[in-house]
Amino acid sequence: MTVEHHTFCRVCNAMCGLVVTTVDDRVTRVRGDDDHPLSRGYSCPKGRAIGELHHASHRLDHPQVGRDDDRRRRSWDEALDDLAARLDSVRATIGPDGIAMFLASGSAFDAAGRRAAERFLRLIGSRQKYTATTIDTPCRPLVAESMGGWSGLTPLWDEESATFLLLIGSNPVVSHGHSNAMPDPVRRLRRFRDRGGELVVVDPRRTETATMADTHLAIRPGTDWVLLAWLVRELLDDRPEVDALRTALAPLTLDLVARHTDLEAGSITTLVESIRRHGRVNALTGTGSSMSAHADVAEYLLWVLLALTDSFDVPGGMWFNPGLLSRLDERELPVGDGRPGPGPPSAPQLPRRFDEWPCVGLLHEIESGNVRALVVVGGNPALAFPDTDRTRRALASLETLAVLDIVPTATTALATHVLPATDQLERADTTWLLDTYQLAVAGQYTDAVVSPRAERRPVWWTLGAVAERLGLDLLGAPVGSVTEADLLAPILRRSRCGADSLVDAPSGVVASGPVHGWVTDRVLPDGRWRLEPPDLLAALRGAIDAIEDTDPGRDRSLRLVVHRRMRMMNSQLESLTPGTDDEIGVRVHPDLAATVGGEGASVTVHTEHGSATGRIVIDTRLRTDTVTIGHGSESCDVSRLTSGVSGIDPLTGMVEQSALRCRLSAGA
Ligand SMILES: Nc1nc2c(c(=O)[nH]1)N[C@H]1C(S)=C(S)[C@@H](COP(=O)(O)OP(=O)(O)OC[C@H]3O[C@@H](n4cnc5c(=O)[nH]c(N)nc54)[C@H](O)[C@@H]3O)O[C@H]1N2
Ligand SMILES: Nc1nc2c(c(=O)[nH]1)N[C@H]1C(S)=C(S)[C@@H](COP(=O)(O)OP(=O)(O)OC[C@H]3O[C@@H](n4cnc5c(=O)[nH]c(N)nc54)[C@H](O)[C@@H]3O)O[C@H]1N2
Ligand code: SF4
Ligand SMILES: [Mo]
């Protein structure tokens, strides 16, 4: 029987509405949902691949236990008994902190599974929680807490009433937004421009997004903070409350800023004038800014710019989505001052923030023997963590590495327990964890579209069954008697529009567009942004001191930067979406390519931390001093070029992943 199901995509933050056609238990078609209020029929190749992913022959279908030649297919009972016995022994011998968890992209869209996973670690009593935040964008929650009192504040573009949008190191036409979910980005940006909005893109590459902009500033990688420092300096005027900031910025001159950023002085001045003319600003950073050194300083200055121009929490400025399900505007949120807790025992210098430790801390904890067992839920640390060889040695040295995933990965290859999870079409879900990233107060619920194939099991079920064996009540009832609907019910009950109307709306609901005032009224300490948080101000001073001593004109080194690929989600979907092969390799400008063998030739990129070899892909959009490798591919693995020891951001523990000095050599 042919059935059309309304559901939503859980590959990336955009969470586009989809219509999935099934004939009996086969998925025959996936297309965008025309009735979806936010994505309006849009879908991308990744989303359209989820049917194929559901049926793919390489899917994990059965539990497996053991490493290398000893790995065997096991029954669920055997696999869970073995895993639980190992976790129990770690708990008994070295304590709960011997068990760690890495929760990443593949768990961010699994409401019931993610909730269960977080609770699992709490029940065990382990502090060893790690997520992708500290290898992605920890500068934003750091600045949110330091300036606004709460780390979860995420400024959103007001697409209907903003008149000026500044994008720094983000390419939403490909990524569909970093912290702002942007389904159908081209149509959205075009509509913004059509109604007179001005778009400025700051990126060393003339990206797909930059080609749509009024202005593209092809900045030298890693210098966004210098540009932002100048904008803030120009807009500070004579406000008395920012004297320390004014003093810190005093050494800058337009000439110095132009030389460092490699931008024309005239275009910098024009940007300042634009901001003054518009009055209110919408501005977003992405990984291009968050992954380079001084990311915290750049983010800090951006938020200062927004605060100074009265661009937060007011119409025409940026807004904060309280969430259809999160309902932040009704909660008592913790008030923080941006001070971190102590790091893990083997690396106390690292900060504990957002209730977790930085990913690089996990490497230290494994190497020191503090962590003996790691449970990975929807993550691929073997490719996502820095310094691939070191990371893999650490993962391979674990007594127990349990991985809950849907396909074999570089990480499952090192696992002791490979546990097949249900995919998105096999589970009921709701837009919970990321509802504050949506460009409207909106949400969606979906039933499972198809039943799980083979022996795939939901993440919550697997962890519930392990917990039961450890004598812990994870799910509130015996795992065999719990349904996904039971687990989602408490989340759905929080819906602003009521659980039933959310469940009954096939394409989701939009409760409202931008709302204003709740952050100022309920979150900000004393109703004001802290404009001079001590740690960020100190980081700014340090950066300015260093810049005064360097001559950018003499630093001709190439810079390695990050980018996302259209047809992959990090390391995912490589084998499914046609055209991914064209996206994998070392992208360079043709002039640079000519010096190392030309298009298609093999080239090796070296940083002070390591080297990676790939095929040259010509990219005429890049600066000639910029090289870029998309993250997430084993054949050309950019994480071989990063370090888990040097360049670690002292405030967040973030790894330096962009704007790294590098050089090229022809061949492998
Ligand atoms: N198609 C696709 N979509 C994705 C993902 C994916 O892998 N593929 N991944 C998802 C994830 S996990 C994330 S975190 C988001 C990321 O979302 P975005 O941050 O929007 O990611 P990118 O598209 O890589 O955009 C980063 C841009 O920064 C530029 N850049 C690099 N270095 C610098 C610099 O020093 N300064 C400036 N100004 N720009 C710089 C790059 O040229 C690139 O255009 O995307 C998400 N969406
Ligand atoms: N050098 C360098 N390092 C980077 C980056 C970079 O640009 N350069 N980018 C960083 C960024 S932004 C991020 S977000 C991280 C990404 O780090 P990760 O999130 O660890 O990387 P992914 O490749 O997205 O891995 C997600 C895993 O989830 C699995 N999965 C997919 N769907 C499901 C599901 O429904 N259930 C379960 N259980 N699993 C599922 C996928 O098969 C995949 O193995 O990497 C970071 N690391
Ligand atoms: S943009 Fe993201 S959410 Fe939309 S279809 Fe593509 S992968 Fe799915
Ligand atoms: Mo990310």
Side-chain angles (χ1 to χ4, degrees):
M1 197 173 64
T2 304
V3 183
E4 291 204 329
H5 311 257
H6 289 254
T7 182
F8 64 93
C9 179
R10 280 151 279 164
V11 174
C12 89
N13 293 355
M15 296 193 283
C16 300
L18 297 177
V19 178
V20 176
T21 312
T22 54
V23 179
D24 302 325
D25 64 350
R26 280 210 81 75
V27 178
T28 55
R29 189 174 176 212
V30 179
R31 64 179 203 274
D33 177 359
D34 292 333
D35 297 329
H36 194 274
L38 297 176
S39 58
R40 298 186 212 178
Y42 177 82
S43 64
C44 85
K46 302 187 298 305
R48 292 193 296 272
I50 60 172
E52 218 179 315
L53 182 61
H54 172 69
H55 294 291
S57 58
H58 69 291
R59 277 288 298 270
L60 296 173
D61 280 339
H62 306 283
Q64 298 166 60
V65 178
R67 277 197 169 111
D68 305 324
D69 293 344
D70 294 330
R71 184 171 288 177
R72 299 278 181 276
R73 179 170 155 182
R74 294 277 181 246
S75 70
W76 268 106
D77 273 338
E78 288 168 333
L80 295 171
D81 286 347
D82 186 67
L83 176 58
R86 284 159 173 256
L87 297 183
D88 201 26
S89 130
V90 173
R91 196 167 57 156
T93 49
I94 62 166
D97 276 344
I99 302 170
M101 199 175 248
F102 177 56
L103 295 148
S105 311
S107 80
F109 308 95
D110 171 4
R114 178 66 176 234
R115 254 183 131 217
E118 304 228 5
R119 194 169 136 78
F120 182 82
L121 206 60
R122 278 200 304 276
L123 278 183
I124 287 197
S126 167
R127 295 173 296 168
Q128 302 276 6
K129 179 182 163 192
Y130 301 87
T131 76
T133 302
T134 54
I135 40 177
D136 182 338
T137 305
C139 59
R140 190 174 300 117
L142 167 75
V143 171
E145 182 179 321
S146 305
M147 288 182 64
W150 186 56
S151 60
L153 292 174
T154 306
L156 297 174
W157 174 40
D158 183 338
E159 55 176 339
E160 297 304 332
S161 67
T163 64
F164 182 78
L165 176 61
L166 175 62
L167 291 174
I168 302 178
S170 180
N171 184 16
V173 170
V174 168
S175 70
H176 301 88
H178 184 266
S179 56
N180 282 223
M182 273 194 226
D184 203 358
V186 171
R187 194 186 49 105
R188 287 201 134 74
L189 292 169
R190 196 171 285 147
R191 206 179 47 185
F192 170 70
R193 301 240 10 248
D194 286 349
R195 64 168 181 74
E198 183 177 343
L199 174 64
V200 177
V201 173
V202 180
D203 197 306
R205 181 169 176 265
R206 188 170 45 78
T207 58
E208 296 74 358
T209 310
T211 56
M212 298 187 65
D214 297 88
T215 309
H216 168 220
L217 300 175
I219 196 163
R220 187 195 305 273
T223 64
D224 302 286
W225 73 272
V226 185
L227 176 65
L228 284 159
W230 183 255
L231 300 182
V232 169
R233 188 183 188 278
E234 290 293 277
L235 294 160
L236 275 178
D237 300 327
D238 47 8
R239 293 188 182 221
E241 73 273 28
V242 282
D243 278 348
L245 189 54
R246 184 177 297 104
T247 308
L249 295 171
L252 292 181
T253 62
L254 182 57
D255 177 58
L256 188 72
V257 172
R259 276 191 296 128
H260 272 270
T261 56
D262 199 23
L263 298 173
E264 303 272 341
S267 55
I268 299 171
T269 311
T270 306
L271 180 58
V272 175
E273 283 162 8
S274 274
I275 292 173
R276 285 196 199 279
R277 194 174 60 251
H278 287 277
R280 290 212 161 108
V281 179
N282 278 228
L284 295 168
T285 50
T287 51
S289 154
S290 72
M291 290 184 174
S292 37
H294 305 308
D296 304 337
V297 173
E299 195 69 19
Y300 164 49
L301 291 165
L302 185 84
W303 286 53
V304 169
L305 177 74
L306 291 163
L308 286 175
T309 51
D310 190 23
S311 302
F312 275 134
D313 212 17
V314 289
M318 303 199 77
W319 66 291
F320 298 90
N321 192 335
L324 186 91
L325 297 162
S326 310
R327 294 176 80 159
L328 299 176
D329 50 340
E330 296 164 25
R331 280 174 31 193
E332 276 315 314
L333 299 167
V335 182
D337 59 6
R339 295 269 153 73
S346 62
Q349 75 282 6
L350 292 171
R352 183 174 183 87
R353 293 186 187 279
F354 334 126
D355 201 25
E356 62 186 72
W357 278 321
C359 288
V360 289
L362 177 56
L363 296 177
H364 291 289
E365 285 290 273
I366 296 173
E367 286 161 352
S368 68
N370 290 343
V371 164
R372 307 282 176 87
L374 171 65
V375 181
V376 174
V377 184
N380 191 5
L383 280 170
F385 276 36
D387 190 344
T388 307
D389 289 339
R390 178 180 168 214
T391 289
R392 292 193 185 185
R393 271 196 308 277
L395 295 174
S397 75
L398 283 160
E399 286 167 16
T400 302
L401 173 59
V403 183
L404 284 64
D405 207 305
I406 59 173
V407 291
T409 66
T411 304
T412 61
L414 302 169
T416 55
H417 298 71
V418 181
L419 304 172
T422 47
D423 65 52
Q424 51 175 298
L425 291 171
E426 295 167 328
R427 60 176 190 252
D429 227 322
T430 184
T431 45
W432 164 62
L433 199 63
L434 299 164
D435 76 340
T436 59
Y437 286 17
Q438 307 287 306
L439 294 183
V441 182
Q444 188 161 352
Y445 166 82
T446 179
D447 280 326
V449 169
V450 285
S451 328
R453 297 173 71 85
E455 290 190 275
R456 303 171 191 172
R457 294 279 189 276
V459 162
W460 60 262
W461 181 92
T462 302
L463 295 175
V466 176
E468 225 161 67
R469 285 165 169 80
L470 293 171
L472 303 169
D473 178 14
L474 181 66
L475 306 174
V479 69
S481 66
V482 175
T483 66
E484 209 147 69
D486 297 336
L487 297 173
L488 292 173
I491 304 177
L492 295 170
R493 263 201 300 278
R494 295 192 54 81
S495 163
R496 261 168 228 276
C497 59
D500 290 347
S501 35
L502 187 61
V503 171
D504 293 343
S507 304
V509 291
V510 171
S512 78
V515 292
H516 302 103
W518 69 274
V519 168
T520 311
D521 293 345
R522 295 187 52 100
V523 185
L524 298 187
D526 308 318
R528 311 160 75 94
W529 295 95
R530 301 180 187 124
L531 295 176
E532 298 182 334
D535 288 352
L536 291 170
L537 196 57
L540 170 65
R541 286 198 189 104
I544 297 221
D545 286 350
I547 195 181
E548 285 186 282
D549 298 338
T550 55
D551 179 355
R554 297 230 308 267
D555 180 2
R556 301 241 176 253
S557 57
L558 296 176
R559 297 287 178 144
L560 174 80
V561 304
V562 290
H563 77 271
R564 311 285 124 187
R565 285 173 288 221
M566 191 59 167
R567 292 175 187 77
M568 288 174 70
M569 166 70 183
N570 303 330
S571 71
Q572 308 171 53
L573 306 171
E574 181 163 352
S575 58
L576 290 178
T577 46
T580 35
D581 286 355
D582 309 336
E583 296 189 306
I584 292 167
V586 180
R587 305 187 84 91
V588 291
H589 187 275
D591 293 353
L592 186 54
T595 66
V596 276
E599 179 157 22
S602 165
V603 66
T604 302
V605 184
H606 310 262
T607 63
E608 63 174 301
H609 314 303
S611 56
T613 302
R615 212 167 38 84
I616 294 181
V617 179
I618 298 285
D619 190 338
T620 53
R621 297 163 180 264
L622 276 167
R623 283 172 61 101
T624 51
D625 62 357
T626 304
V627 176
T628 180
I629 300 176
H631 141 79
S633 171
E634 280 206 77
S635 62
C636 182
D637 177 3
V638 72
S639 296
R640 295 193 175 280
L641 301 168
T642 57
S643 165
V645 186
S646 70
I648 301 304
D649 184 274
L651 295 180
T652 62
M654 173 71 189
V655 177
E656 207 174 309
Q657 291 170 168
S658 199
L660 293 157
R661 279 195 182 75
C662 70
R663 65 182 175 82
L664 303 182
S665 64

